[in-house]
Amino acid sequence: MRTLLYVLLLAAALAAVRLLTPISASQLLENGGFEEGTRAWAASGGLEIVCGQGIAVEGGCSALLTAQVAGSTMLRHTTVPIEPGGTYTLSAHVLKNDARAEAVYLHVAWRDEDGNEIEHDHCELSQNGPYFRHLSTGPVQTAPNAVSAAVSVYLLSYRSGAQVYVDDVRLDGNAPPPSTPTAAPTDTASPATATPAHTAAPSATVTAVASATLIPTPTGTPSPTPAPPTIPEGYLLNAGFEETAGDALLAWQKYGGILAQTGEKRRSGSFSAVFFSDTESTKWVYQTVLVREDKAYVFEGHVLLDDPAVERVYLRVSWYASSDGSGSAISAADSVERLACCDPTFRHIKTEPLSPPPGTRSARFRIMLDPVSAAGARIYLDDMALRETAPFAPPLPSATVPTDTAPDGETHETLSAPTWTPARRTPVVNGFPLPSAEKSPYQVKINEVMYAPAEGGCEWFELYNAADAQVEMEGWTVADNHATDALPSLTLPGRSFAVVAADETAFRKAHPGFAGALLLVADGRIGNGLADSGDRLALRDGGGRIVDSLSYGGDASVFSTPVPAVAIGHSIERSPAGADSDSANDFVDNPSPSPGAAIDAEAPSSSVAGMSVASSLASPADLEVPPASTGSGFPWLPVALGSGLLALGAGWGAAAFLWLQARRHAN
């Protein structure tokens, strides 16, 4: 009898709980634990599903999101319908333990019937740790006209390769009544890619198996590949060519030729794209993106062109009034730079900032290949990127509009993504502060530049703090005419030097006696690599303000009369140290480069005692603090001179004493 009573009481308690729990409350996201691969998810960077003990909170798998370029990488769930005015909680578990990752944002955009964002909520994780942490927006009430929700995870990174694990993403709240029609976007998720299960520790890198060597086969009339599964807004999908959809590269299309994934040659990640040409006509690889008229865009990427059968490679942006890149283009613009053969390394290429013409809704971003002939030709592509920047007026002139149009029957599924940047002290694009017209108050100078090193050396430049007060160099960058590098955080004392080099081994081999502060750029190149024929350098502070700049050789972008080019193995250096009249007259040709020291003997010493350096890209490195330098190559010289002067003074003193004694006796 007592057992029966307990059973009745338990049943009553469960019934009461059911009455107190809203029947319509549910978890609205599909595959939030990533147990079904990538179903219902799409990413602007690398996305892999990894499974194994210790890398999941719910179930046995989690998502590994990898930044293929510095800046913002997004993991986006298919848009879901919600109840207008309902209360919802967005939550997830994130494992962030990568020094290259700046922060992770869990974000939800509430949208109206037209798909416009009404408002959004988000939460942030910025600290690293060896375990999953729970992120939650807490209960939030949506607007009365909000009918759908777009859930995203943003990874902000200092550099490419940053990784975070994401698991158990949930949107808890009331599902809309079945009878209530919604106008939420009818987007569908990208096809799930078959991803083998992995057993790995959280710190392990999940590496895909390299593809076999590709053997091109002849093709007939050029024809585009099937349409991509999504049309992103303001960014490129699969920018590093790491993901495939069947036999095709996810999100990328081509006009003519053969486009495939390869592991043979790559700049980063496990794969790149190889593009073959077997006819004499121009052909291209492209991706369609939704754009906004109030934005300007920079399209850039890396190309390996080592085949003499390729005449040139360049970039083209075509603007369309349609939302899917179909129909005739309104106008088009090409990159000023064009790559020609041959170079065995990946080279950076980009457009100038381009503003869409009025009426533009989408754009096709193309990598153009001009072959020499109908003979086989080949290029490799990797790490493409699309950056938003401030609009420029007037817009740059457009090139001749290409005559190609999208073929009939081309369809695109819509999985648009919000363009969103968390509130920051300084506007940031692609991981770097937006350039500012304001002049920086700091007196740090680019004092010496080695842009044409002798064989076995590397490029480097020297910084000199011409002020007496120390400078906190947090978030500073340096750029040439093509690319920007983040500098490690640095406290630079007054009247002190620091050297920034592309490669530590090569630098120390060329300058074995150097014992000062040595900083390294993350990607092994200063900018895109300083050109011997002419280039520029621009140093900016954490607010994007210009601190110092120069141009040399054939580049007149900073100085109307650039610093004259010097011979291989020579450097250009300010004389005296820190001299700045905003002209090339401040620089001289130094045949004996002097990193960490002034070219003239009267300048301050190269001592960096008290300097502290901490890199935001890697573990802080201990600095060797060199002894104070006399500015001379002969350490015995000051002692010898001092001894000589002392002896000379003593001799004159003795002579004067004897002369006075003789005079006294004479009188």
Side-chain angles (χ1 to χ4, degrees):
M1 179 64 73
R2 181 176 299 178
T3 301
L4 178 60
L5 180 60
Y6 287 158
V7 171
L8 292 175
L9 289 174
L10 180 59
L14 292 175
V17 170
R18 288 181 59 87
L19 289 174
L20 293 174
T21 303
I23 296 176
S24 59
S26 60
Q27 202 290 95
L28 304 182
L29 300 185
E30 298 181 60
N31 192 28
F34 304 97
E35 303 303 314
E36 302 175 58
T38 58
R39 187 178 68 83
W41 295 94
S44 62
L47 175 61
E48 295 185 67
I49 307 304
V50 292
C51 305
Q53 186 176 4
I55 57 173
V57 174
E58 179 270 337
C61 300
S62 64
L64 175 60
L65 184 62
T66 303
Q68 293 173 339
V69 295
S72 179
T73 302
M74 189 190 70
L75 174 63
R76 166 72 191 282
H77 190 277
T78 306
T79 302
V80 296
I82 62 169
E83 181 181 66
T87 300
Y88 297 89
T89 298
L90 176 63
S91 63
H93 285 82
V94 176
L95 193 161
K96 175 183 175 295
N97 197 27
D98 191 327
R100 297 166 296 184
E102 179 180 1
V104 178
Y105 291 85
L106 186 60
H107 179 268
V108 56
W110 311 107
R111 297 185 173 185
D112 61 17
E113 292 184 353
D114 297 324
N116 300 316
E117 181 178 326
I118 305 169
E119 56 190 1
H120 69 260
D121 294 283
H122 72 273
C123 51
E124 172 188 358
L125 173 62
S126 57
Q127 294 181 341
N128 283 329
Y131 49 84
F132 279 92
R133 301 191 184 189
H134 184 255
L135 298 182
S136 175
T137 61
V140 293
Q141 186 172 10
T142 63
N145 59 335
V147 298
S148 65
V151 172
S152 306
V153 179
Y154 287 85
L155 165 60
L156 296 186
S157 57
Y158 295 110
R159 54 172 290 190
S160 62
Q163 294 184 321
V164 295
Y165 291 84
V166 182
D167 197 12
D168 193 24
V169 187
R170 302 175 57 91
L171 181 63
D172 292 289
N174 298 332
S179 59
T180 303
T182 63
T186 57
D187 54 303
T188 58
S190 57
T193 57
T195 307
H198 300 274
T199 301
S203 59
T205 302
V206 180
T207 305
V209 179
S211 62
T213 303
L214 294 166
I215 302 176
T217 56
T219 58
T221 303
S223 60
T225 57
T230 61
I231 301 183
E233 181 178 331
Y235 69 92
L236 296 176
L237 283 170
N238 195 21
F241 305 99
E242 299 291 324
E243 301 175 69
T244 58
D247 295 331
L249 280 165
L250 179 69
W252 290 98
Q253 299 174 269
K254 52 93 176 176
Y255 191 86
I258 304 169
L259 176 65
Q261 185 186 67
T262 179
E264 179 184 357
K265 297 181 180 181
R266 59 191 186 276
R267 182 175 179 269
S268 67
S270 300
F271 300 102
S272 64
V274 60
F275 189 38
F276 292 99
S277 169
D278 57 0
T279 66
E280 61 183 359
S281 63
T282 298
K283 45 192 64 69
W284 53 86
V285 177
Y286 70 96
Q287 188 172 148
T288 304
V289 176
L290 293 170
V291 295
R292 293 170 49 178
E293 290 184 33
D294 60 340
K295 300 288 186 180
Y297 298 88
V298 174
F299 179 39
E300 60 186 335
H302 294 80
V303 179
L304 193 159
L305 198 175
D306 61 352
D307 190 341
V310 178
E311 182 176 357
R312 59 180 170 263
V313 173
Y314 54 98
L315 305 180
R316 170 171 292 169
V317 179
S318 302
W319 311 105
Y320 294 86
S322 63
S323 60
D324 59 0
S326 61
S328 299
I330 300 173
S331 64
D334 290 350
S335 60
V336 176
E337 182 183 17
R338 301 193 172 202
L339 301 181
C341 193
C342 292
D343 194 319
T345 62
F346 278 92
R347 285 181 281 173
H348 182 263
I349 185 173
K350 71 174 183 177
T351 67
E352 297 297 324
L354 303 174
S355 297
T360 298
R361 298 184 64 192
S362 65
R364 286 188 172 182
F365 295 91
R366 314 166 190 256
I367 305 103
M368 311 292 293
L369 186 159
D370 283 347
V372 173
S373 65
R378 173 208 62 207
I379 60 174
Y380 295 88
L381 312 173
D382 207 355
D383 294 336
M384 305 305 298
L386 179 61
R387 296 189 284 113
E388 288 185 2
T389 185
F392 289 79
L396 296 176
S398 298
T400 304
V401 179
T403 57
D404 67 288
T405 58
D408 294 338
E410 185 174 312
T411 60
H412 299 275
E413 297 174 352
T414 57
L415 180 60
S416 60
T419 54
W420 169 82
T421 301
R424 305 168 66 105
R425 290 179 298 174
T426 304
V428 168
V429 170
N430 203 34
F432 300 112
L434 282 175
S436 170
E438 183 182 354
K439 182 73 174 178
S440 175
Y442 302 112
Q443 297 301 308
V444 178
K445 305 300 177 184
I446 303 173
N447 199 65
E448 185 177 4
V449 182
M450 167 56 74
Y451 63 81
E455 185 176 356
C458 73
E459 297 174 347
W460 54 265
F461 64 90
E462 175 188 81
L463 297 177
Y464 174 62
N465 183 4
D468 293 325
Q470 71 179 23
V471 174
E472 300 293 336
M473 295 171 55
E474 176 71 33
W476 286 35
T477 63
V478 67
D480 68 348
N481 62 351
H482 280 299
T484 301
D485 288 305
L487 295 180
S489 298
L490 169 69
T491 299
L492 186 60
R495 310 294 174 178
S496 294
F497 296 86
V499 174
V500 180
D503 181 87
E504 180 175 11
T505 301
F507 177 84
R508 294 196 182 279
K509 181 179 179 181
H511 305 281
F514 178 81
L518 181 62
L519 311 180
L520 303 173
V521 291
D523 59 359
R525 291 191 297 179
I526 297 173
N528 188 46
L530 301 179
D532 294 356
S533 59
D535 211 331
R536 73 197 76 162
L537 274 179
L539 180 68
R540 293 184 182 274
D541 63 20
R545 299 170 297 185
I546 193 73
V547 180
D548 190 29
S549 59
L550 61 90
S551 61
Y552 63 86
D555 192 317
S557 59
V558 178
F559 299 145
S560 57
T561 302
V563 179
V566 296
I568 292 176
H570 291 211
S571 67
I572 55 175
E573 184 168 2
R574 294 183 188 269
S575 180
D580 190 3
S581 62
D582 287 330
S583 73
N585 296 330
D586 299 326
F587 293 85
V588 298
D589 180 342
N590 185 358
S592 301
S594 54
I599 190 174
D600 54 307
E602 297 180 0
S605 76
S606 61
S607 172
V608 291
M611 177 179 292
S612 63
V613 176
S615 170
S616 60
L617 305 178
S619 300
D622 295 331
L623 287 177
E624 295 182 8
V625 179
S629 170
T630 62
S632 170
F634 304 95
W636 47 265
L637 186 60
V639 177
L641 289 175
S643 301
L645 290 174
L646 182 61
L648 183 62
W652 278 107
F657 175 79
L658 292 175
W659 182 77
L660 289 174
Q661 291 294 325
R663 292 271 306 203
R664 187 170 10 171
H665 286 297
N667 293 332

